[in-house]
Amino acid sequence: MNKQELENRLIDFAASIIMVANKFEKNYAGNHLAGQIIRSGTSPALNYGEAQSAESSKDFVHKMGVCLKELRESFVCLKIIEKANLTTDLKNLSIAKIEANELISIFVSSIKTAKANMK
């Protein structure tokens, strides 16, 4: 997967998170977690853009690490949303969980490779 394909995948993930969050229950928990998942779910795409302009290999690894943290946060948040029954859109919630997990794997691998190349 090249840089543009990964960026597009992150953008698609961010858009899907926004669409899923818009269908949450309109209560305190639903509103809170909608805001939380929108922040953490859109952050990786934005931070990946920053990683492409990293000033050094160390800076690149750091920015990719931020993306990974946000993806992990999104994944856990999606699991909480599912357990708390905050949405009836279980199909798109499941798709988002699968995509978050796949993106986490991609970033773990990319960070390992970047660190290895620094040595």
Side-chain angles (χ1 to χ4, degrees), residues 30-75:
N31 293 338
H32 173 73
L33 287 171
Q36 187 66 39
I37 193 71
I38 288 171
R39 284 187 297 279
S40 66
T42 58
S43 175
L46 303 171
N47 281 297
Y48 184 71
E50 284 189 32
Q52 299 314 301
S53 299
E55 296 174 7
S56 66
S57 296
K58 187 176 177 182
D59 187 36
F60 175 78
V61 168
H62 172 73
K63 286 179 165 81
M64 292 291 281
V66 171
C67 294
L68 178 59
K69 285 180 179 182
E70 295 292 334
L71 286 165
R72 285 183 170 145
E73 180 180 332
S74 297
F75 184 70

Side-chain angles (χ1 to χ4, degrees), residues 1-18 38-52 63-64 66-68 70-72 74 99-107 110:
M1 173 177 304
N2 66 37
K3 293 175 187 180
Q4 191 59 51
E5 290 169 334
L6 181 54
E7 181 177 287
N8 288 339
R9 203 162 160 181
L10 290 165
I11 291 168
D12 290 345
F13 177 70
S16 71
I17 289 295
I18 292 167
I38 288 171
R39 284 187 297 279
S40 66
T42 58
S43 175
L46 303 171
N47 281 297
Y48 184 71
E50 284 189 32
Q52 299 314 301
K63 286 179 165 81
M64 292 291 281
V66 171
C67 294
L68 178 59
E70 295 292 334
L71 286 165
R72 285 183 170 145
S74 297
E99 182 65 359
N101 199 37
E102 289 179 8
L103 288 167
I104 287 167
S105 296
I106 290 167
F107 275 84
S110 294

